[in-house]
Amino acid sequence: MEVLRPQLIRIDGRNYRKNPVQEQTYQHEEDEEDFYQGSMECADEPCDAYEVEQTPQGFRSTLRAPSLLYNLIHLNTSNDCGFQKITLDCQNIYTWKSRHIVGKRGDTRKKIEMETKTSISIPKPGQDGEIVITGQHRNGVISARTRIDVLLDTFRRKQPFTHFLAFFLNEVEVQEGFLRFQEEVLAKCSMDHGVDSSIFQNPKKLHLTIGMLVLLSEEEIQQTCEMLQQCKEEFINDISGGKPLEVEMAGIEYMNDDPGMVDVLYAKVHMKDGSNRLQELVDRVLERFQASGLIVKEWNSVKLHATVMNTLFRKDPNAEGRYNLYTADGKCIFKERESFDGRNILK
């Protein structure tokens, strides 16, 4: 990573550099034990947040999760890199063969069962259903449930985003203004390093992103739709007054320390009436989805912006959000980006 191009995290209106961390990779099945051991180091303490049912035989807890997260996946290989392609709601999800709960030869499940003195029932590959944990002691059942949740969460965080919540800025006036901006940039700055038509946003796809999601089942997609409807009924209508919010795109900013090496250029967006209603609305939607676990909590407020140029578009015009893929053995692949010189554009 170049010193002048760090990953930036926005906290309370300030940008902070994120220091590079060496990602752990899993090149061989023999390395799986290290992953499970590391994932469960923080999962030993019982948690009272889970619902545990007392039965004549002891105690019982159940949880539902997309079968993708706990079954061995046997699907048609989509390319030579070992990726597997699953079509979900007209979007593609790339994943690798997962042994996250079952483990190699069932070792992971056996290890959890032995250390927590429980029995864990997991649906067979290709079948949906509940994971059932039973045991003689309540704390043991809770401990096993906590460990499984940690494994599921770790796997989910490594999946590419499948969906995003957004407001589309697809008014004709906005699209025409963007096309004029693109035309002027290409006329005056096309000789600058990295500036060409491939890195501009599709004018029909201009949008304000609220948050990125990993939805791995039709059930999760339905849950998202229902939650959006709840947000509309509970507070969106009140904030908006039941009318469309009018916003204005004015000015541009870049996401890097060095304007000569820019990866993303975005338009600033604000309410025409000068109010903070749009920011309040998206922050409350984000808060609701973070509380549900559908969006990972990385910040408390959304930085409202409309991407107009992004170097990820060179290789993928549909690129959105996290752009790392994983090989069949779990090794992360970072997509290379060629930055552009944005100094003359900013002028």
Side-chain angles (χ1 to χ4, degrees):
M1 183 187 76
E2 298 203 22
V3 175
L4 292 177
R5 297 175 58 202
Q7 180 179 353
L8 300 180
I9 300 176
R10 190 173 181 85
I11 302 175
D12 295 332
R14 296 186 177 184
N15 288 331
Y16 296 85
R17 292 187 180 93
K18 181 176 180 180
N19 293 329
V21 177
Q22 182 64 41
E23 292 284 344
Q24 186 177 4
T25 59
Y26 317 103
Q27 297 183 351
H28 305 285
E29 290 188 347
E30 290 77 10
D31 296 333
E32 288 180 352
E33 182 64 28
D34 295 334
F35 169 77
Y36 301 119
Q37 184 64 37
S39 295
M40 288 189 280
E41 285 178 355
C42 60
D44 290 331
E45 294 298 324
C47 175
D48 292 329
Y50 302 125
E51 182 176 339
V52 178
E53 173 190 1
Q54 188 167 6
T55 68
Q57 292 76 32
F59 295 88
R60 180 176 183 268
S61 180
T62 63
L63 68 150
R64 292 193 65 86
S67 59
L68 178 65
L69 295 181
Y70 53 75
N71 289 334
L72 285 172
I73 302 168
H74 298 290
L75 298 170
N76 294 328
T77 302
S78 64
N79 56 37
D80 296 334
C81 298
F83 290 105
Q84 296 172 325
K85 186 175 181 181
I86 304 170
T87 300
L88 178 62
D89 193 31
C90 301
Q91 303 206 26
N92 296 327
I93 303 173
Y94 291 91
T95 183
W96 65 91
K97 295 181 180 178
S98 164
R99 298 178 175 84
H100 275 68
I101 294 180
V102 177
K104 184 177 61 177
R105 298 185 301 275
D107 290 347
T108 303
R109 178 171 58 184
K110 293 176 183 177
K111 178 179 177 64
I112 298 176
E113 289 177 330
M114 180 184 67
E115 294 183 352
T116 61
K117 295 181 174 58
T118 59
S119 176
I120 302 172
S121 174
I122 300 176
K124 295 180 180 179
Q127 295 182 356
D128 289 319
E130 293 183 330
I131 299 173
V132 181
I133 307 166
T134 57
Q136 294 295 317
H137 304 285
R138 185 175 186 274
N139 280 355
V141 171
I142 293 176
S143 180
R145 170 69 183 271
T146 303
R147 296 186 183 202
I148 291 174
D149 275 351
V150 170
L151 293 175
L152 292 175
D153 182 65
T154 300
F155 179 65
R156 183 184 289 273
R157 285 172 180 263
K158 286 183 174 292
Q159 295 303 291
F161 293 120
T162 62
H163 298 71
F164 65 101
L165 301 179
F167 291 112
F168 274 90
L169 304 173
N170 51 12
E171 294 289 336
V172 174
E173 181 183 359
V174 175
Q175 292 185 32
E176 291 176 347
F178 170 76
L179 289 172
R180 288 194 298 270
F181 165 78
Q182 178 178 344
E183 182 179 354
E184 186 173 357
V185 168
L186 292 177
K188 296 181 179 180
C189 308
S190 60
M191 299 301 294
D192 295 343
H193 175 75
V195 177
D196 60 55
S197 61
S198 69
I199 62 175
F200 283 86
Q201 176 66 277
N202 183 331
K204 296 180 180 180
K205 295 183 178 181
L206 287 168
H207 64 272
L208 301 178
T209 300
I210 299 175
M212 311 295 295
L213 303 98
V214 176
L215 305 179
L216 303 177
S217 69
E218 292 292 341
E219 184 177 350
E220 290 187 348
I221 294 173
Q222 182 61 33
Q223 181 185 354
T224 299
C225 295
E226 292 173 357
M227 190 168 299
L228 281 173
Q229 184 62 33
Q230 291 172 3
C231 290
K232 183 175 185 295
E233 296 170 356
E234 294 176 17
F235 59 83
I236 290 178
N237 285 337
D238 290 339
I239 295 175
S240 67
K243 299 178 181 179
L245 298 179
E246 294 190 18
V247 301
E248 187 174 57
M249 297 170 59
I252 54 175
E253 290 186 5
Y254 61 100
M255 293 185 181
N256 278 107
D257 279 0
D258 184 359
M261 300 180 67
V262 177
D263 287 326
V264 177
L265 195 70
Y266 62 90
K268 294 181 286 186
V269 178
H270 61 269
M271 287 283 297
K272 277 190 173 182
D273 62 9
S275 72
N276 199 42
R277 288 186 296 161
L278 180 61
Q279 187 68 56
E280 179 187 355
L281 189 155
V282 297
D283 285 346
R284 290 189 63 178
V285 171
L286 179 67
E287 180 182 6
R288 178 66 62 87
F289 274 82
Q290 288 174 336
S292 72
L294 289 172
I295 292 180
V296 177
K297 186 171 183 179
E298 297 178 324
W299 47 77
N300 294 322
S301 181
V302 177
K303 171 66 174 177
L304 288 174
H305 67 278
T307 298
V308 293
M309 298 172 72
N310 188 335
T311 56
L312 292 182
F313 296 153
R314 293 191 200 280
K315 296 184 178 180
D316 182 1
N318 298 312
E320 183 71 36
R322 186 170 57 200
Y323 201 58
N324 299 332
L325 299 178
Y326 294 86
T327 63
D329 56 15
K331 186 175 181 181
C332 182
I333 299 175
F334 293 92
K335 288 290 185 180
E336 293 295 330
R337 304 177 67 148
E338 179 192 352
S339 298
F340 65 93
D341 187 343
R343 289 173 292 185
N344 287 327
I345 299 175
L346 292 167
K347 290 178 184 179

